[in-house]
Amino acid sequence: MTEQKSKCDACAEKGSCKDQSPGNECTCTVDRMARVKNKIIIASGKGGVGKSTVSVNLAKALNLKGYRVGVLDADITGPDIPKLLGIEDERLTQGEEGIEPANAGGIKVASMALVLSDRDSPVVWRGPMKMAAIKQFIQEVNWGDLDFLLIDLPPGTSDEPISVLQLIPDLAGAIIVTTPQEVSLLDSRKAVNMVKAMKLPVLGIVENMSGLICPHCGEAINIFSAGGGQRMADEMDVPFLGAIPIDPKICALGDSGRTFVQSDIKAGESFGKIVNRLIAFFGYEDKSI
Ligand code: ADP
């Protein structure tokens, strides 16, 4: 109740709100999402294709370009964003204006991994509880004014990612991450159709693990084939944002909580093109130049 009171005290609608009477559950209408200019979904047809890697590197790249960025880790059972951003040991805290997000070098982050006391315990919640947690991240986290909020969706096209899509108001669209193999592309096509069925724009396809850069000679070896993402984008009439090669350094950097956009690896160059295409879509200029 005390917690509720301080939340209401900080609320801009305090004077007009009808939910302040004792015992009333707060249905606070302060729309924190209205302060976020562009809400972007990062989705994939299946797990393990690099969706979270793309999310954190996109967040870092946009932040380095001068934009205010947040990442909402909507993958409640596999929340890897804090690990990839090196903030595993941080915790969300209750502040005067709501739940305070964690700070990863200027990027605001909310994730189930920042709430759990033990990183190895599985979250065995059923759907409604998971949605309640995501709702809290949307409505109660003090995101402040953001240029971009990247929402890392649970993988696949089941009711869970669809429910998350329905929860977040006024989405700008979705980026679909795929790998080049046929089995991955097959699932990615479903993800594209899921986004289309929700009447959301597909901002583009990212083909990750597109060829291996040989650590010795620097040449590309097409382990999982290459070019399938572009083909799929053409066939489904959606934009292709670009390809990221396999690079053992991407994995090593991720494991140590660092993004690869700040490193000098070749994949950084390909990723830069993806980021620039995305910025161009929103009609922004590179603020860092
Ligand atoms: P998802 O979110 O789709 O489950 P992740 O982003 O967690 O996938 O990536 C799975 C693993 O693959 C991570 O260990 C990550 O570091 C690694 N990885 C992702 N993309 C690449 C890449 N292009 N080259 C090498 N390793 C990668």
Side-chain angles (χ1 to χ4, degrees):
M1 198 63 210
T2 320
E3 211 171 78
Q4 178 66 66
K5 190 173 178 308
S6 73
K7 201 168 81 182
C8 292
D9 282 344
C11 179
E13 302 211 344
K14 193 180 172 209
S16 56
C17 180
K18 294 183 178 66
D19 292 325
Q20 289 181 91
S21 47
N24 230 359
E25 196 193 338
C26 179
T27 53
C28 187
T29 53
V30 176
D31 193 355
R32 295 185 190 269
M33 287 294 110
R35 294 174 63 185
V36 178
K37 284 190 194 156
N38 304 293
K39 297 170 272 286
I40 301 175
I41 291 287
I42 319 290
S44 67
K46 58 163 68 211
V49 298
K51 174 175 56 61
S52 300
T53 302
V54 168
S55 298
V56 296
N57 280 281
L58 192 52
K60 191 72 206 175
L62 290 169
N63 190 237
L64 287 172
K65 284 181 183 292
Y67 295 103
R68 297 162 299 176
V69 185
V71 182
L72 194 168
D73 188 355
D75 195 344
I76 297 294
T77 46
D80 294 333
I81 297 288
K83 166 84 182 155
L84 292 169
L85 283 172
I87 53 162
E88 266 184 302
D89 295 331
E90 289 207 22
R91 286 292 169 271
L92 302 184
T93 53
Q94 183 68 44
E96 284 283 295
E97 293 181 45
I99 301 169
E100 287 304 321
N103 184 337
I107 299 165
K108 293 181 177 177
V109 184
S111 167
M112 204 57 203
L114 301 171
V115 176
L116 299 170
S117 54
D118 169 13
R119 76 173 87 162
D120 296 332
S121 298
V123 176
V124 288
W125 296 351
R126 292 192 191 279
M129 273 182 83
K130 289 190 212 168
M131 287 313 123
I134 293 169
K135 223 174 185 170
Q136 263 195 307
F137 288 159
I138 297 166
Q139 293 176 347
E140 293 180 34
V141 169
N142 183 23
W143 293 105
D145 296 313
L146 291 181
D147 295 307
F148 292 99
L149 179 66
L150 308 181
I151 300 120
D152 192 57
L153 212 62
T157 50
S158 66
D159 56 337
E160 207 178 314
I162 291 172
S163 303
V164 178
L165 287 175
Q166 286 169 334
L167 273 182
I168 303 171
D170 192 24
L171 285 166
I175 293 171
I176 312 289
V177 182
T178 186
T179 49
Q181 317 92 304
E182 276 306 318
V183 280
S184 178
L185 291 167
L186 197 66
D187 293 333
S188 303
R189 298 175 82 93
K190 293 179 191 141
V192 170
N193 283 330
M194 169 183 78
V195 172
K196 283 183 173 175
M198 303 288 297
K199 307 263 183 282
L200 285 173
V202 176
L203 301 174
I205 308 290
V206 171
E207 179 176 304
N208 188 28
M209 308 193 189
S210 178
L212 165 79
I213 303 291
C214 171
H216 305 292
C217 67
E219 288 298 310
I221 307 161
N222 289 336
I223 293 189
F224 299 141
S225 145
Q230 172 82 67
R231 241 184 352 265
M232 181 183 83
D234 293 344
E235 282 165 17
M236 301 192 83
D237 199 21
V238 293
F240 181 66
L241 286 175
I244 308 164
I246 300 174
D247 190 326
K249 286 185 193 147
I250 292 183
C251 188
L253 284 165
D255 280 353
S256 61
R258 282 176 295 161
T259 49
F260 69 81
V261 284
Q262 288 159 296
S263 72
D264 58 357
I265 62 171
K266 210 169 173 183
E269 216 177 283
S270 331
F271 200 77
K273 290 182 191 156
I274 293 172
V275 178
N276 289 339
R277 280 183 197 124
L278 189 72
I279 291 174
F281 173 88
F282 288 100
Y284 288 151
E285 283 171 16
D286 187 343
K287 285 190 185 179
S288 64
I289 297 170

